[in-house]
């Protein structure tokens, strides 16, 4: 998962370049545009996910609960993008307190998203690959799943605490929001922990579990019954493809500080970071094009909105017609009264 550390720290090194002005100007346009795109589509899409799974599906399955948790985490992530967009285009003007909050929410999303996807993977693995051992009532599974969601958020919040503590606004050639660690060893340790627990271990778990799941389904006659698995698998694949390049660059930079001064590395960071930011708006797209249940509920919502508008127009027309009839009757009565002798 993406963190803003690399881009914000690069602000310090970019100021030393005079020959890289064109790249800097381009990035000040490119990054805010990407942030705005992800924010707009992600906000609409994830709110739609919450409406459909909470109000239409009523959280009928454990997967629905996990997907709502994932959409909530994405909304936390998306709420930070307007701040990073302005900072990328100009500078950080929101103060140290907001810096701590924004970076903390950012890291909270990092762990919550990955741990939730890991929970979904393990749940599918137990339900499909370990079907003989998965004879647990739906009620118990729902209780356990909700407890796991709460645990995921608590653990994620605990891992986000360093960002709330060490993040601050700093003034160099311009104001930036970054993490000021006590030492490089502390920074390296936290980033290795973040990449290990927040990315590589969950990714390894997903690869192993889904390899077994796919093998199991290929040997099963009821493969068509597991079409709903496609949406979960697609979410995880897209997440890995969008997050892996950026996280690898972060790991390389943490180990080899000389990459700070490499122009090609700087360009790679900006591009992969922009790709990674898109994950917040991609999940709802996957739900729509792959999830049949999601698409049907979305179509129902659109039909209800159109029906509501049509009924509103009909009521307005009927009201107008009634008022016109009353006016006509009143005017007729006035005429009849005026013709009566005094």
């Amino acid at each position: 998962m993406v963190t803003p550390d690399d881009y914000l720290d690069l602000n310090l090194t970019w100021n030393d370049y005079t020959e890289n002005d064109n790249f800097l100007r381009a990035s000040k346009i490119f990054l805010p545009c990407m942030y705005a795109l992800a924010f707009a589509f992600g906000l609409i899409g994830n709110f739609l996910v919450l409406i459909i799974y909470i109000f239409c599906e009523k959280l009928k399955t454990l997967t629905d609960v996990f997907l709502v948790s994932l959409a909530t985490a994405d909304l936390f992530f998306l709420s930070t993008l307007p701040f990073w967009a302005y900072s990328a285009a100009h500078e950080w003007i929101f103060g140290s307190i907001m810096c701590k909050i924004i970076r903390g929410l950012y890291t909270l999303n990092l762990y919550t998203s990955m741990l939730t996807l890991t929970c979904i993977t393990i749940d599918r693995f137990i339900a499909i690959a370990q079907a003989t051992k998965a004879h647990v009532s739906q009620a118990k599974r729902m209780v356990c799943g909700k407890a796991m969601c709460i645990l995921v958020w608590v653990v994620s919040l605990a891992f986000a605490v360093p960002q709330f503590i060490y993040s601050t606004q700093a003034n160099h050639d311009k104001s930036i929001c970054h993490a000021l660690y006590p030492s490089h060893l502390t920074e390296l340790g936290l980033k290795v922990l973040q990449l290990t627990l927040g990315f590589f271990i969950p990714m390894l778990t997903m690869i192993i579990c889904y390899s077994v799941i796919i093998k199991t389904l290929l040997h099963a006659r009821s493969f068509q019954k597991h079409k709903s698995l496609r949406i979960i698998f697609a979410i995880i694949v897209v997440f890995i493809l969008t997050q892996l390049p950026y996280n690898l660059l972060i790991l390389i930079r943490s180990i080899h500080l000389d990459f700070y001064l490499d122009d090609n590395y700087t360009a790679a960071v900006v591009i992969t970071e922009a790709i990674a930011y898109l994950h917040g708006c991609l999940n709802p797209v996957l739900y729509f094009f792959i999830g049949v249940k999601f698409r049907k509920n979305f179509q129902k919502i659109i039909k209800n909105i159109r029906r509501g508008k049509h009924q509103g127009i009909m009521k307005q027309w009927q009201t107008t017609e009634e008022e016109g009839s009353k006016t006509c009757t009143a005017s007729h009565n006035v005429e009849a009264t005026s013709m009566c002798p005094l």
Side-chain angles (χ1 to χ4, degrees):
M1 169 71 69
V2 136
T3 62
D5 289 349
D6 199 74
Y7 172 73
L8 296 170
D9 290 340
L10 284 171
N11 279 322
L12 303 179
T13 59
W14 285 353
N15 292 323
D16 297 331
Y17 299 142
T18 55
E19 70 278 5
N20 217 12
D21 288 342
N22 290 332
F23 175 75
L24 287 175
R25 281 195 292 268
S27 67
K28 287 183 178 181
I29 298 172
F30 174 69
L31 285 177
C33 288
M34 293 297 289
Y35 297 165
L37 181 68
F39 177 77
F41 284 96
L43 197 66
I44 296 170
N46 283 289
F47 268 122
L48 190 60
V49 170
L50 294 181
I51 291 170
I52 287 175
Y53 282 107
I54 293 176
F55 297 104
C56 296
E57 288 300 315
K58 307 291 185 183
L59 298 177
K60 294 176 183 176
T61 67
L62 185 54
T63 301
D64 293 347
V65 174
F66 286 134
L67 291 178
V68 166
S69 178
L70 188 62
T72 305
D74 283 340
L75 286 174
F76 274 115
F77 160 74
L78 292 166
S79 68
T80 68
L81 290 186
F83 297 92
W84 298 129
Y86 187 90
S87 179
H90 304 286
E91 62 179 341
W92 186 266
I93 62 169
F94 308 103
S96 291
I97 300 297
M98 283 302 297
C99 177
K100 293 177 184 294
I101 293 173
I102 295 302
R103 286 178 60 88
L105 290 177
Y106 210 105
T107 308
L108 179 67
N109 164 262
L110 184 156
Y111 288 109
T112 305
S113 295
M114 287 306 296
L115 293 177
T116 301
L117 288 174
T118 306
C119 288
I120 293 174
T121 303
I122 295 173
D123 176 65
R124 293 297 86 201
F125 174 79
I126 294 173
I128 296 173
Q130 302 290 322
T132 56
K133 301 178 183 179
H135 293 297
V136 182
S137 67
Q138 182 66 20
K140 288 184 178 179
R141 288 189 66 203
M142 286 293 288
V143 171
C144 292
K146 290 177 181 179
M148 284 300 299
C149 280
I150 294 173
L151 181 62
V152 162
W153 281 90
V154 170
V155 170
S156 300
L157 183 60
F159 282 123
V161 166
Q163 295 300 323
F164 287 108
I165 295 174
Y166 296 122
S167 297
T168 185
Q169 178 175 325
N171 295 314
H172 297 274
D173 287 348
K174 64 177 184 178
S175 294
I176 63 170
C177 170
H178 72 145
L180 188 60
Y181 300 101
S183 64
H184 176 66
L185 185 62
T186 303
E187 178 183 4
L188 182 61
L190 287 173
K191 286 191 175 181
V192 169
L193 178 67
Q194 176 179 295
L195 289 171
T196 302
L197 297 181
F199 187 75
F200 288 113
I201 289 179
M203 183 178 68
L204 184 62
T205 303
M206 293 172 196
I207 291 173
I208 293 173
C209 287
Y210 271 98
S211 297
V212 177
I213 288 171
I214 291 171
K215 182 179 178 182
T216 303
L217 292 179
L218 288 175
H219 288 85
R221 294 181 179 179
S222 59
F223 181 73
Q224 293 298 321
K225 295 181 181 179
H226 299 284
K227 288 182 178 180
S228 61
L229 186 67
R230 293 183 302 178
I231 185 171
I232 308 300
F233 185 69
I235 290 171
I236 292 170
V237 169
V238 168
F239 194 93
I240 291 173
L241 291 178
T242 56
Q243 305 304 316
L244 182 60
Y246 185 84
N247 278 279
L248 287 178
L249 289 177
I250 293 295
L251 182 61
I252 292 171
R253 193 212 65 183
S254 299
I255 298 172
H256 301 287
L257 295 179
D258 54 323
F259 277 94
Y260 270 116
L261 301 176
D262 189 286
D263 288 358
N264 293 326
Y265 175 84
T266 302
V269 166
V270 172
I271 294 171
T272 56
E273 181 193 37
I275 293 172
Y277 272 68
L278 290 176
H279 86 272
C281 64
L282 286 178
N283 286 345
V285 175
L286 294 176
Y287 299 155
F288 183 81
F289 286 104
I290 300 177
V292 177
K293 183 170 64 173
F294 181 87
R295 193 161 57 247
K296 286 182 178 178
N297 283 310
F298 177 75
Q299 290 170 351
K300 284 181 183 178
I301 291 174
I302 297 299
K303 286 181 181 178
N304 289 335
I305 291 174
R306 288 178 178 174
R307 189 180 304 160
K309 286 183 178 180
H310 178 70
Q311 289 175 352
I313 293 171
M314 289 298 293
K315 285 181 180 179
Q316 186 178 3
W317 181 78
Q318 288 174 359
T319 303
T320 305
E321 189 180 42
E322 288 174 0
E323 288 177 352
S325 177
K326 289 179 181 178
T327 304
C328 183
T329 304
S331 61
H332 175 73
N333 291 337
V334 169
E335 291 178 0
T337 305
S338 63
M339 292 172 64
C340 294
L342 296 175

